[in-house]
Amino acid sequence: MDYNVNEWNHVFKLDPNKHLSDSSLKKVCESGTDAVIIGGTDGITYENVVALLMRVQAYEIPCVLEVSAIHAISPEFDGYFIPMVFNSKEKRFMLDVQHEAVKQFGDFIDWSDMLVEGYCVMNEQAKVFQATNCTLPDQEDVIAYARMAEHMFHLPIFYIEYSGRYGDVNLVRETAEQLHDTMLFYGGGIRSAAEAKQMKEHADVIVVGDILYENIQAALETVQACKE
Ligand code: 1GP
């Protein structure tokens, strides 16, 4: 692994199913963000994942795949994030899809390139909430999941995912207070430097996605806000 997640503050998440122009991609990759994560829920194919990876590889930035579909895994990434959806009603999104992937690819996996994310999806309207059949946790539930991520599973990352909607700052702060060894990632609805800065006060790493496709300038301004 040529990067250290513990040093990250900010990442952009690019959706292989959405189009970003060459000039915007260049700005993203040269923005000073710590990494590009490629990931999404809908329309993920091997072809669109690899096409986006190749475009990002023209730059120095680490490129990580957040694995959501076994058929779209390429061995060329700098790292792999494996979500385990804690608040899914179905065991398969916590354990079985990962089990199937390890059964198929276990002999080829470089385990040092892989980090597991304890995922908690907080936006009922988000595609990922529906796709993984989640139930909406309250603050006490989230804190318990965070404690499990750190003390029971010893996961490197706990990810509060509000995908598409700005989240509850108080919940993020209370969750952050429980985590010491496990890093807290926050993603969802960040559309300005001020919002990035507000969540960064509590989360270790801010993930910025959708706004890239709507207002590239606003997206780029979130980078500096997380470094100050
Ligand atoms: C999505 O957490 C990321 O997986 C970022 O969320 O797209 O709402 O910025 P947004």
Side-chain angles (χ1 to χ4, degrees), residues 1 3 64-65 67 73 78-82 98 101-102 105-106 108-117 156-157:
M1 207 189 286
Y3 56 89
V64 170
L65 179 66
V67 177
I73 302 175
D78 298 307
Y80 300 85
F81 285 180
I82 312 297
Q98 299 83 350
V102 173
F105 302 116
F108 312 105
I109 294 173
D110 180 345
W111 300 100
S112 66
D113 282 347
M114 177 179 295
L115 294 178
V116 174
E117 305 171 306
I157 297 168

Side-chain angles (χ1 to χ4, degrees), residues 28-104:
V28 164
C29 294
E30 295 178 345
S31 64
T33 189
D34 296 301
V36 165
I37 296 178
I38 293 184
T41 305
D42 270 355
I44 308 299
T45 66
Y46 180 80
E47 288 73 21
N48 63 18
V49 165
V50 171
L52 185 52
L53 167 67
M54 286 173 71
R55 292 173 68 206
V56 175
Q57 279 178 332
Y59 303 91
E60 289 293 305
I61 189 133
C63 189
V64 170
L65 179 66
E66 186 171 65
V67 177
S68 59
I70 295 183
H71 62 265
I73 302 175
S74 148
E76 300 292 315
F77 281 87
D78 298 307
Y80 300 85
F81 285 180
I82 312 297
M84 295 171 80
V85 184
F86 279 15
N87 62 316
S88 173
K89 290 178 207 153
E90 295 180 49
K91 169 177 160 267
R92 70 190 171 110
F93 295 112
M94 179 71 192
L95 211 62
D96 295 355
V97 288
Q98 299 83 350
H99 179 231
E100 186 54 40
V102 173
K103 247 170 96 177
Q104 277 189 43

Side-chain angles (χ1 to χ4, degrees), residues 152-201:
M152 295 172 76
F153 295 106
H154 302 285
L155 297 184
I157 297 168
F158 184 69
Y159 191 137
I160 298 183
E161 171 68 287
Y162 276 91
S163 183
R165 178 157 74 76
Y166 193 63
D168 177 344
V169 182
N170 183 48
L171 181 144
V172 176
R173 182 180 54 237
E174 298 278 324
T175 306
E177 282 172 10
Q178 304 304 323
L179 296 173
H180 307 288
D181 297 329
T182 297
M183 291 182 80
L184 179 60
F185 279 44
Y186 170 83
I190 290 179
R191 316 182 83 76
S192 67
E195 287 176 344
K197 198 173 176 143
Q198 186 177 39
M199 284 301 183
K200 178 65 182 111
E201 277 176 30

